[in-house]
Amino acid sequence: MQGHISGTYVRLLFEWLNDRGHHAEHVLQRPCPELDERIRIPFEDWRAMLERTYQVTHDPFFGLDVGSRITPRHLGVLGYVSYSCNTLGEALLRLQRFEDLVHAVNDLKVSFEGDLVLLQWGAELGVTGEFADQTAQSVLVSYVRYLISPEFSPVWMSFINPTPSSVKPYEDFFRCPVRFESNYTTMAFPALWLAKPVAKPDPVLRDILDRQAENLLQQLPANDEFVDALRHAIHAAIHAATPNLDVVAMRMHCSPRTLQRRLDERGLKFQVLLDDARLQLAKRYLSKAGTSLSEIALLLGYAEQSAFNHAFKRWTGVTPKVWREKNAAIVASW
């Protein structure tokens, strides 16, 4: 699986193991990385380290405790820039912009559902796995609690992964209902939390760190040139009203069979990628008041508006009209 994790983030696991009396470097079969976000750990190596930790601890929920240790230093520049923001909303904007400095695998998508903010990760580059997701979501929720209030709790959480032997450890940690075998790994929380102040804002330091984070981001290698090219090809096919595998393969200068094989090698499904691209474009168009629903349907390659309405409701649980009415004002203000 493509992707990488920063050395600062990986240190969480080393520190946790050492605190519990294990020799982390022996267990994980590698030296502890320096606190430097420029150190990149391939995601497959991270997943192997998590598996070794489970083999030693025999605790299927250890990732929840590992993530609870998070501090700004484990997130490098992203941690310090978010800690210098005025509000949680500002901090989350940095998370979305600079996520790849820490956890460059599947991209974070931000959307709104009524009065809730949804932070979601799909499986464009593959399913990351139970321990990786467990740790990542524990890090996210713990860091929000660190930034604004230990009382913060999501309204609900969901995970792509299979249902574990017990859901209770998840619900005890996140303090909310948690479901599994979902289309996305999601944290949902009230939008009113976006305005909550960060404990120690520092606008001057934030601006300095923003520039540093931007510079570091430009130095990162792309996760997967094939996936980047595929996304561009899918978007082009959507705009040309020909979003099918054969046409996308032609745009990728390969046969449909070759494209399918390369998708299979990465654990990707064409229809999932197409639906995700259409959903993101749909939300972008719906945020523009001057674009009618029939126009949006055509822009997304649907012959009829009814087909678009049906697909959008399947993706989000509401019709495009309802989504626009409930979310356009929030999107514009964030």
Side-chain angles (χ1 to χ4, degrees):
M1 180 175 176
Q2 300 291 321
H4 59 254
I5 307 296
S6 73
T8 56
Y9 185 91
V10 170
R11 279 184 67 101
L12 270 174
L13 187 57
F14 280 83
E15 293 171 5
W16 183 84
L17 282 167
N18 286 331
D19 284 351
R20 276 149 187 77
H22 300 287
H23 190 294
E25 294 192 354
H26 175 72
V27 172
L28 302 178
Q29 301 179 17
R30 63 191 305 146
C32 182
E34 299 294 326
L35 277 171
D36 186 342
E37 60 268 90
R38 292 172 297 181
I39 297 174
R40 321 307 299 167
I41 309 296
F43 184 79
E44 284 296 342
D45 289 3
W46 171 239
R47 191 150 57 181
M49 284 188 275
L50 294 170
E51 183 61 35
R52 292 189 188 104
T53 300
Y54 172 64
Q55 291 170 2
V56 168
T57 64
H58 306 291
D59 178 4
F61 309 107
F62 73 88
L64 298 174
D65 197 34
V66 172
S68 70
R69 299 177 56 99
I70 192 69
T71 66
R73 70 188 180 92
H74 294 113
L75 301 178
V77 171
L78 174 57
Y80 292 114
V81 72
S82 60
Y83 194 56
S84 303
C85 289
N86 291 306
T87 64
L88 177 62
E90 283 189 15
L92 290 179
L93 284 173
R94 268 63 178 190
L95 171 62
Q96 186 176 25
R97 173 65 184 131
F98 302 122
E99 178 188 27
D100 282 0
L101 291 177
V102 177
H103 197 278
V105 192
N106 296 309
D107 291 338
L108 165 63
K109 301 173 181 64
V110 180
S111 60
F112 297 84
E113 187 176 275
D115 295 331
L116 298 181
V117 180
L118 305 186
L119 306 184
Q120 297 184 305
W121 291 262
E124 296 86 356
L125 300 181
V127 176
T128 53
E130 176 185 8
F131 299 138
D133 280 357
Q134 191 184 101
T135 305
Q137 294 307 306
S138 171
V139 162
L140 177 61
V141 172
S142 297
Y143 196 61
V144 172
R145 289 170 178 166
Y146 181 94
L147 285 177
I148 57 171
S149 170
E151 302 303 315
F152 172 84
S153 294
V155 174
W156 56 266
M157 301 279 297
S158 71
F159 288 84
I160 290 178
N161 308 303
T163 304
S165 58
S166 174
V167 177
K168 189 174 185 301
Y170 283 85
E171 294 184 334
D172 288 346
F173 182 87
F174 294 115
R175 303 200 292 263
C176 70
V178 181
R179 58 178 181 260
F180 292 83
E181 301 177 44
S182 301
N183 292 329
Y184 293 92
T185 292
T186 304
M187 183 179 85
F189 64 94
L192 58 86
W193 280 99
L194 294 174
K196 296 291 183 180
V198 173
K200 297 180 179 179
D202 188 333
V204 175
L205 180 60
R206 181 201 61 212
D207 291 344
I208 294 171
L209 293 172
D210 269 345
R211 291 192 292 272
Q212 185 177 349
E214 190 69 47
N215 182 55
L216 286 169
L217 191 64
Q218 297 304 318
Q219 297 175 27
L220 293 182
N223 268 343
D224 189 325
E225 292 182 1
F226 165 75
V227 174
D228 289 341
L230 177 59
R231 285 174 175 161
H232 287 302
I234 288 176
H235 277 254
I238 289 172
H239 291 310
T242 53
N244 60 64
L245 189 140
D246 289 353
V247 170
V248 171
M250 181 180 66
R251 290 180 176 274
M252 295 282 290
H253 307 291
C254 66
S255 68
R257 183 176 179 179
T258 297
L259 176 56
Q260 187 60 61
R261 176 177 56 77
R262 297 180 73 180
L263 288 167
D264 291 342
E265 288 171 351
R266 291 164 171 80
L268 302 176
K269 294 185 181 299
F270 178 78
Q271 190 60 48
V272 172
L273 293 172
L274 175 59
D275 286 349
D276 182 70
R278 277 175 155 167
L279 175 58
Q280 299 312 312
L281 287 171
K283 289 179 177 179
R284 186 186 306 170
Y285 295 143
L286 287 168
S287 298
K288 299 177 180 180
T291 310
S292 70
L293 296 183
S294 59
E295 288 174 324
I296 294 174
L298 290 174
L299 288 169
L300 296 177
Y302 290 101
E304 299 179 354
Q305 182 184 327
S306 59
F308 166 54
N309 290 345
H310 177 76
F312 192 87
K313 188 171 184 180
R314 174 167 54 84
W315 299 330
T316 66
V318 297
T319 64
K321 181 180 179 182
V322 170
W323 189 95
R324 169 175 269 173
E325 291 172 348
K326 288 186 175 182
N327 296 283
I330 302 176
V331 171
S333 66
W334 194 22

